[in-house]
Amino acid sequence: MSSRPAGKGRAGGAPRPSSGGKARVSSGAKLRTTQSAAKSSQAKPRASQSSAKASQAKPRTGRVSGVAVGTRRPPAKPTATRHRRRPTPRRWPRRLALTLVIAFALGAATLVRADWEVHNTFLNTTSHRTDELSSELRVVQLTDFHNIPRPAQVRDIVELVRGADPDLIAITGDLINTNNRTLDPVRRLLDGLSGIDAPRYYVDGNHDHWSADHAKLHELLERFGVTILTDANTQVSGDFGRLSLIGVDDYFSGNGDIDAAVAGLPEKGFRLVLTHSPEIFGELDRTNIDYAMCGHTHGGQIRLPLIGAIYQPGGNWFPKVSKGAYVDGGATLFVDSGLGVTGPKLRLFNQSQVTLHRIGPDV
């Protein structure tokens, strides 16, 4: 047999397979394969990063191993729907009820106060300065008693007069009402006043004139020592000096005559007038009256702060002369709101009162 040269392969120069039947791989081929694998492994993370970004940008839906996978939807675009107010509870019934309760409470309190002012009398004090008297003259005025039927209140009135320590007591009309069931209240008053050491003087009011008991009233006055001055005058003296006391009948009922009342008076000296109604006001300065006191108006009975009387007898709404002192020339008229009531048995901001007039040079 012929021998072949060493190192030569089969035809075409290809290497002969090993005895194990497996092809041999050179070391150079292994190196190249390893580098390619490394490069491909470096490229895979970039692919995974790209897929993660894609998954964030476009979330997928579906189920993975039986678990629901939620997706984030983009916010819905606002639609042109009308905004609806949330229903609120109705509060006006409660507010109305509260308002009515407050109004009722205030009304009830006002009525209680108005009734209290009728049943409780206090002592009011006013002063008038004059150099025509040598010292203080104290005159307590009672007006518009209107036959007050409450004995306890009549006793209180008498004690108020006693405590004022008067030099004289002036009763300026309307002791009784036009219609009276009894004159016992006046009898109690006059009996109580008779126990006070001070002279008492009286002038008629319109209700006294209008009453069928007018003559009986005058009988009671005389029985208890009260001097009735009907368009007449008298001289009064004391520690205060000397004065002319003038009683003028009621102008409201058309019975007064001031010229007759001042007839025969001396030109000088202090002139004090007792009368019932303020209608005489314009006649006082003309007849040289220094000071006059009257009643009749009840101060309107119902008065309002900053407004004063609303109404008073004679159909006079919001009267200009109703309560307090008024001046015309050299004459001063004091209108007292009085003790009793006519019409509605109410007084408001206008309590039943007795007034002490302090007249003199140092008051």
Side-chain angles (χ1 to χ4, degrees):
M1 295 177 63
S2 62
S3 61
R4 296 179 181 178
K8 294 288 186 175
R10 299 173 63 182
R16 193 182 281 183
S18 64
S19 60
K22 294 182 180 180
R24 293 180 180 177
V25 181
S26 65
S27 61
K30 288 181 180 179
L31 178 61
R32 285 193 297 271
T33 303
T34 306
Q35 291 175 350
S36 298
K39 289 181 179 179
S40 66
S41 66
Q42 291 177 358
K44 284 181 180 178
R46 288 197 295 270
S48 64
Q49 292 176 359
S50 300
S51 63
K53 291 181 179 179
S55 65
Q56 292 178 358
K58 296 181 179 180
R60 296 177 181 179
T61 60
R63 293 180 178 271
V64 178
S65 301
V67 179
V69 179
T71 60
R72 291 194 308 171
R73 295 181 180 177
K77 294 182 179 179
T79 58
T81 58
R82 183 175 297 176
H83 177 69
R84 294 182 180 179
R85 290 185 177 179
R86 179 179 295 178
T88 56
R90 293 184 177 179
R91 296 181 179 177
W92 67 265
R94 285 188 296 173
R95 291 178 179 175
L96 177 60
L98 180 61
T99 301
L100 291 175
V101 168
I102 293 173
F104 178 80
L106 289 175
T110 300
L111 288 175
V112 169
R113 176 67 191 187
D115 181 71
W116 185 89
E117 291 193 25
V118 171
H119 290 75
N120 294 271
T121 304
F122 82 108
L123 179 67
N124 176 52
T125 302
T126 187
S127 59
H128 176 75
R129 190 182 182 282
T130 178
D131 292 328
E132 296 189 67
L133 295 177
S134 57
S135 63
E136 180 181 334
L137 166 68
R138 299 171 68 87
V139 181
V140 172
Q141 179 189 7
L142 296 91
T143 193
D144 296 270
F145 179 73
H146 284 291
N147 221 13
I148 290 176
R150 296 171 290 278
Q153 187 174 4
V154 175
R155 288 194 297 270
D156 290 343
I157 291 169
V158 171
E159 291 309 310
L160 286 173
V161 176
R162 190 190 311 277
D165 190 24
D167 293 306
L168 63 89
I169 299 170
I171 306 171
T172 56
D174 279 2
L175 266 179
I176 59 177
N177 296 310
T178 301
N179 299 299
N180 308 276
R181 289 185 298 176
T182 176
L183 296 186
D184 285 345
V186 172
R187 185 178 291 104
R188 292 189 197 99
L189 176 68
L190 296 177
D191 185 29
L193 296 177
S194 66
I196 300 173
D197 186 19
R200 298 168 300 287
Y201 298 90
Y202 167 84
V203 291
D204 278 319
N206 55 298
H207 284 278
D208 302 321
H209 276 294
W210 296 341
S211 175
D213 297 315
H214 188 217
K216 292 180 180 179
L217 173 63
H218 278 218
E219 290 175 6
L220 280 174
L221 290 164
E222 291 172 355
R223 185 189 310 171
F224 286 102
V226 179
T227 301
I228 302 170
L229 291 174
T230 304
D231 294 333
N233 63 75
T234 186
Q235 298 296 304
V236 179
S237 59
D239 295 338
F240 48 82
R242 187 178 180 86
L243 62 88
S244 297
L245 184 64
I246 305 158
V248 181
D249 208 345
D250 177 48
Y251 263 60
F252 181 80
S253 56
N255 290 287
D257 185 348
I258 193 171
D259 291 316
V262 299
L265 287 178
E267 291 294 329
K268 296 183 179 181
F270 189 77
R271 293 186 174 189
L272 173 61
V273 164
L274 310 182
T275 191
H276 178 65
S277 63
E279 276 74 9
I280 198 175
F281 188 35
E283 301 293 321
L284 298 177
D285 186 55
R286 178 182 65 81
T287 51
N288 298 319
I289 303 302
D290 296 291
Y291 192 76
M293 55 186 72
C294 72
H296 179 67
T297 68
H298 302 183
Q301 285 190 197
I302 305 296
R303 298 178 68 85
L304 297 178
L306 305 178
I307 296 176
I310 301 173
Y311 175 84
Q312 65 190 28
N316 194 359
W317 290 91
F318 301 102
K320 294 182 178 179
V321 177
S322 64
K323 181 177 181 176
Y326 300 87
V327 177
D328 179 26
T332 297
L333 173 68
F334 184 87
V335 184
D336 191 13
S337 56
L339 293 160
V341 294
T342 55
K345 296 184 178 359
L346 300 172
R347 281 179 174 263
L348 188 61
F349 301 113
N350 188 27
Q351 186 179 346
S352 170
Q353 68 179 34
V354 169
T355 296
L356 168 63
H357 299 258
R358 299 176 60 226
I359 305 170
D362 301 314
V363 297

